[in-house]
Amino acid sequence: MDAQILSWVVFIPLAGIPILLLLPKERPELVKWTALGVAGVDFLVSLYLPANFDSANPGMQFPVAIPWIESFGIYYRLGLDGISLFLVLLTTFLSMLAIYSTFSAIQEKVKGFYISFLLLQTGMLGVFVALDVFLFYVFWEGMLIPMYFLIGIWGGPRKIYATIKFVLFTMFGSLLMLVAILALYFLNRSATGNYSFNLFDYYQLALPLNLQIWLFLAFALAFAIKVPMFPFHTWLPDAHVEAPTAGSVILAGVLLKMGTYGFLRFLFPLFPNATFQFIPLLAVLSIIGIIYGALMAMVQKDVKSLVAFSSVSHLGFVTLGLLAMNLQGWQGGMLQMLNHGVSTGALFLLVGMIYERRHTRLIDDFGGLTKVMPVFAVFFMIITLSSIGLPGTNGFVGEFLILVGTFRTNPVWAAFATTGVILSAVYMLWMFQRVMFGEVKNPANAGLSDLNWREKTVLVPLIVFVFWIGIYPNTFLKNMEGSLENLLNQVNRRETVLRSLPKQSWSEFMAGGASSQAKAANLPANNVP
């Protein structure tokens, strides 16, 4: 079972697509329940992973390595450690809830919507477990197509503009990353004599600093766009606002995490010396993102747009925690990835629920909703408090660890980042006050129905995680600690070893200098599945 479990988790959504194709389009309810059933089965199967995960083992677990295009060194290679474990679970969990939340919102081209969604789910899961770089790139690019359709077909009035912008930004970064991957492929061939896309083979390349810098920039740009970091964030508010609710949930909850996951899995261990060279620049961009995103959120008139800009701010915290390059910062960054998926995913669901009733998201169109929708108000209040990091909720633990880790590295960075915590409380509580409190002045709001049982069923699991992570985060921290510590040690060790290497040009490296440098560097082997 262990050898096949990751393949099952990744491809169950894909296997559900032929079933949907066979269903009659005249029965949309059957299509919806079938899609939910497929996502539900995938979530249940994915629970095998935490149940059998060995937190004492920092290496890759449930490994798979099957030759795919062997003459090019391409393998179907999967594995999972404490870094990817909860991102996989977050994907299966949020996908199931997002599908269930769309039952009343999606009324046109129903079959196409759920086929696109399940295809997207397979792509996202593949990114988090692929250990062959070619396979990773296939999953990475494969997500573009279903996301393009989800926004472009079922999106809002400016969906075409938002879709094209999203695709252009993402493709630009992806193509640069592809060039860097090919460069690594041939550099590895020069160093070892073997053609390989194995990520762990690349970990052992003894690249001098000048080569690392160019490759680092190509990977960093692709991941920074996906996060998105300031100033590469401009596609995000448009994509969030125009996407259907389920698309916004997955975009915020999972897709943005692929950029930060790329930092940990690829950027830092592959190019440790270049990483330390660029940390000050990236940290400043993260801090600008934290403050800029919060200020922009404060002046938004549309609730969904406000939540979108808050994502820019929250993900600035995540990247800042990772750039602290210590265990507290990395644990905080990882936990904040999960927190953002839970809290912002829930916020987009809540905004979608109110939009279905009023067909507007403008803050000025609301007011006094606590009087007509008290259950909705309670859910909204809990998620708002978690988003601003109130102690006892999930947001507090992640932000606290990030600030502790950042303070250990640079107290000035931590001081600037703290302003983002204050600003997030201002814009979230101000928005909540204008939407929920006061008199019901707009007659259109007086007859609004409160949440139905389906909507409560979608939100309750997210509330459970808000308090679970907030009160007992050790469930999550203990499973990720070993893998993060192991990776952090590897990055620091490689940085120390590679710093002493002489400067080489591309041609000198390719001409054979690589072998002698790798041997001289004596880099440690990794646990290759």
Side-chain angles (χ1 to χ4, degrees), residues 424-441:
S424 73
V426 173
Y427 68 74
M428 287 301 294
L429 293 176
W430 190 30
M431 178 271 291
F432 187 82
Q433 178 256 319
R434 286 179 289 167
V435 171
M436 294 296 170
F437 293 133
E439 297 299 320
V440 183
K441 296 178 181 176

Side-chain angles (χ1 to χ4, degrees), residues 227 229 260 263 268 279-291 312-326 328-330 332-334 336 398-399 401-407 409-421:
V227 170
M229 287 183 76
T260 47
F263 273 58
F268 296 164
I279 276 179
L281 172 64
L282 295 175
V284 169
L285 292 180
S286 298
I287 292 168
I288 293 175
I290 290 170
I291 299 173
V312 176
S313 183
H314 286 145
L315 287 162
F317 269 106
V318 174
T319 53
L320 186 64
L322 300 184
L323 292 166
M325 301 303 284
N326 54 47
Q328 290 86 358
W330 281 21
M334 274 297 304
Q336 199 66 353
E399 288 182 349
L401 285 171
I402 287 172
L403 290 174
V404 169
T406 305
F407 189 87
T409 300
N410 190 319
V412 177
W413 295 351
F416 276 106
T418 306
T419 61
V421 179

Side-chain angles (χ1 to χ4, degrees), residues 80-91:
L80 176 137
D81 62 0
I83 298 171
S84 44
L85 171 65
F86 291 109
L87 293 173
V88 169
L89 291 172
L90 180 71
T91 304

Side-chain angles (χ1 to χ4, degrees), residues 381-395:
M381 180 188 68
I382 294 171
I383 297 300
T384 298
L385 295 177
S386 80
S387 184
I388 66 177
L390 189 79
T393 64
N394 55 343

Side-chain angles (χ1 to χ4, degrees), residues 7-47:
S7 299
W8 280 105
V9 171
V10 171
F11 290 107
I12 281 177
L14 191 67
I17 292 177
I19 301 173
L20 293 186
L21 286 170
L22 293 173
L23 297 176
K25 65 179 181 181
E26 295 79 13
R27 299 188 62 188
E29 293 303 315
L30 180 60
V31 173
K32 294 174 183 176
W33 282 104
T34 304
L36 178 61
V38 172
V41 168
D42 198 33
F43 173 66
L44 292 175
V45 171
S46 71
L47 293 179

Side-chain angles (χ1 to χ4, degrees), residues 274-353:
T275 295
F276 281 91
Q277 294 281 323
F278 282 97
I279 276 179
L281 172 64
L282 295 175
V284 169
L285 292 180
S286 298
I287 292 168
I288 293 175
I290 290 170
I291 299 173
Y292 167 83
L295 291 175
M296 288 299 294
M298 203 177 296
V299 298
Q300 297 305 306
K301 297 178 180 178
D302 183 317
V303 184
K304 200 172 185 184
S305 186
L306 182 151
V307 178
F309 275 104
S310 77
S311 290
V312 176
S313 183
H314 286 145
L315 287 162
F317 269 106
V318 174
T319 53
L320 186 64
L322 300 184
L323 292 166
M325 301 303 284
N326 54 47
L327 187 58
Q328 290 86 358
W330 281 21
Q331 281 186 311
M334 274 297 304
L335 199 61
Q336 199 66 353
M337 289 188 214
L338 305 180
N339 294 336
H340 182 260
V342 171
S343 300
T344 306
L347 279 173
F348 278 121
L349 286 169
L350 288 161
V351 173
M353 290 167 187

Side-chain angles (χ1 to χ4, degrees), residues 196 200 298:
S196 171
F200 293 101
M298 203 177 296

